[in-house]
Amino acid sequence: MNSWNLFGLKVHSGQFNLTMRILITGGLGFVGGRLAEYLAQAGYQIILGTRHSISSPEWLPQTEVAKIAWDDEVALERSCDGVDVIIHAAGMNAQDCTADSVAALAFNGLATARLVAAASRSGVQKFIYLSTAHVYASPLVGIITEETCPHNQHPYATSHLAGEHAVLSASHRGEFQSIVLRLSNVFGAPMHKEVNCWMLLVNDLCKQAVQTRKLILQTSGLQQRDFIGLTEVCQVIERLVMGYAGSKQVNIFNVGAGVSQSVLELAQLIQQRCTKVLSFEPELQHKSGELDEQHLTLIYSTDSLNSMGIGCKSLDDKAEIDGLLQFCQVAFN
């Protein structure tokens, strides 16, 4: 049994999870689906929240499914009844937010506020909100800590920031503990291929490799990004779920690798793993960088999590990429 120290308390993984009920909104989505599988395997009682009327998915048949009616306060409260922890992973992606900024604010902001209110009335103990590193700036450059002032005006960023405020305000009122996680560039295999995750850089490149045997970058690839695999994200979230149950403390945490690499370096790693895992080397194409082209270093600081002993472990990206390539081979070849 694993253990770690958090705020001076020693917590054992799995100590209480057999009785803890966790509602994951967006539970059929990219992060939500993988997180649901991860926590279910650890022994937690998982409820998959979705706007669709469906039965339990074949990849997680033992879970409950709750239809989330985002505009119905009574139905929302009913979905929260008997729930100990809510992990709010549902949200509009960047592309959809660009296309409809009003809808972005309505869902990422207003619907989150409705869920917060329902959670409070239902006696939920902890609310974990999955936000984005992109609230800070676009592009992300320099040293980014939780003290960095968010100033990105893209509707994807502003609508998530509105959601953050709705969640954190509940902690200020003493209703439950709120945790906001600002995720960097997450990648990994989804639970099923229909998940809307193929616009993400690493996922897109792995799918390209399988379908076309090419890796095509639209830029020089010299820009720096912080990439983190889904397995690491799931590990961090489980530790936060178990770490300080019942606390009213407000927390915002950066969740990333803490070490950046260029897009080109990441593409080259995918190229190498294709050779190892799929026995072919895809052609890598990218634009030539200009002589005066500069890309500032990015340090997406995860010191806050690391100081509590629950930060990302800097797992080898190879395993996550290998799994993603194998998924794409089966799903798209």
Side-chain angles (χ1 to χ4, degrees):
M1 179 178 291
N2 296 326
S3 64
W4 59 92
N5 287 302
L6 190 59
F7 301 129
L9 300 176
K10 192 168 187 180
V11 180
H12 296 279
S13 177
Q15 186 174 0
F16 306 109
N17 58 5
L18 293 178
T19 59
M20 183 176 291
R21 288 172 54 81
I22 302 175
L23 170 64
I24 303 176
T25 67
L28 301 180
F30 176 50
V31 177
R34 279 283 299 272
L35 181 60
E37 181 198 41
Y38 185 91
L39 294 177
Q41 289 180 348
Y44 298 88
Q45 298 180 29
I46 302 301
I47 306 164
L48 299 175
T50 174
R51 66 178 65 196
H52 305 291
S53 296
I54 63 169
S55 57
S56 299
E58 60 181 14
W59 44 268
L60 210 59
Q62 71 272 31
T63 57
E64 300 177 40
V65 176
K67 182 179 179 180
I68 306 295
W70 293 103
D71 57 352
D72 187 330
E73 292 184 1
V74 175
L76 273 179
E77 187 172 341
R78 190 161 51 245
S79 298
C80 296
D81 285 345
V83 170
D84 300 299
V85 178
I86 291 177
I87 302 174
H88 187 29
M92 287 179 61
N93 62 35
Q95 290 180 338
D96 292 339
C97 289
T98 300
D100 192 339
S101 59
V102 174
L105 183 59
F107 189 81
N108 293 343
L110 183 57
T112 298
R114 290 195 184 104
L115 181 61
V116 165
S120 177
R121 292 193 298 269
S122 298
V124 170
Q125 299 176 23
K126 184 179 300 185
F127 194 112
I128 299 176
Y129 179 55
L130 303 191
S131 186
T132 172
H134 298 289
V135 300
Y136 290 113
S138 180
L140 289 171
V141 295
I143 300 175
I144 306 293
T145 74
E146 291 86 354
E147 301 302 317
T148 301
C149 181
H151 63 265
N152 188 357
Q153 296 304 304
H154 190 284
Y156 180 66
T158 56
S159 60
H160 270 94
L161 201 59
E164 289 186 12
H165 291 321
V167 174
L168 294 174
S169 65
S171 280
H172 287 300
R173 295 190 298 268
E175 297 171 7
F176 49 67
Q177 187 201 5
S178 301
I179 303 173
V180 169
L181 303 182
R182 292 173 174 168
L183 306 182
S184 65
N185 294 279
V186 182
F187 68 93
M191 294 306 301
H192 54 97
K193 70 177 183 179
E194 289 79 18
V195 171
N196 186 17
C197 65
W198 303 109
M199 81 297 292
L200 302 174
L201 177 67
V202 181
N203 286 39
D204 174 49
L205 288 175
C206 289
K207 183 180 178 183
Q208 280 188 48
V210 167
Q211 291 186 315
T212 69
R213 300 208 168 195
K214 295 181 179 180
L215 298 170
I216 301 177
L217 300 178
Q218 302 302 320
T219 67
S220 65
L222 299 179
Q223 62 271 32
Q224 297 282 311
R225 293 190 185 178
D226 180 295
F227 297 99
I228 182 171
L230 264 174
T231 301
E232 288 187 70
V233 172
C234 291
Q235 290 176 348
V236 168
I237 292 175
E238 185 194 5
R239 290 171 178 177
L240 289 170
V241 165
M242 292 302 301
Y244 34 76
S247 169
K248 301 298 183 182
Q249 183 169 346
V250 177
N251 290 292
I252 299 176
F253 296 117
N254 291 345
V255 180
V259 178
S260 299
Q261 57 186 311
S262 72
V263 169
L264 180 58
E265 289 172 333
L266 196 285
Q268 291 169 336
L269 177 58
I270 293 173
Q271 186 182 42
Q272 295 167 8
R273 299 317 297 170
C274 275
T275 303
K276 180 70 174 180
V277 176
L278 303 180
S279 300
F280 71 87
E281 182 178 290
E283 177 187 355
L284 176 56
Q285 300 178 8
H286 60 94
K287 294 182 178 179
S288 298
E290 301 295 333
L291 293 177
D292 60 348
E293 186 174 4
Q294 295 183 352
H295 289 281
L296 299 177
T297 300
L298 166 65
I299 299 176
Y300 193 62
S301 174
T302 58
D303 288 349
S304 294
L305 281 177
N306 295 338
S307 67
M308 299 186 300
I310 59 170
C312 299
K313 295 181 178 179
S314 297
L315 298 177
D316 194 339
D317 286 344
K318 294 177 183 177
E320 196 79 53
I321 291 173
D322 289 354
L324 179 53
L325 285 170
Q326 291 166 342
F327 179 93
C328 290
Q329 176 76 354
V330 173
F332 300 114
N333 188 22

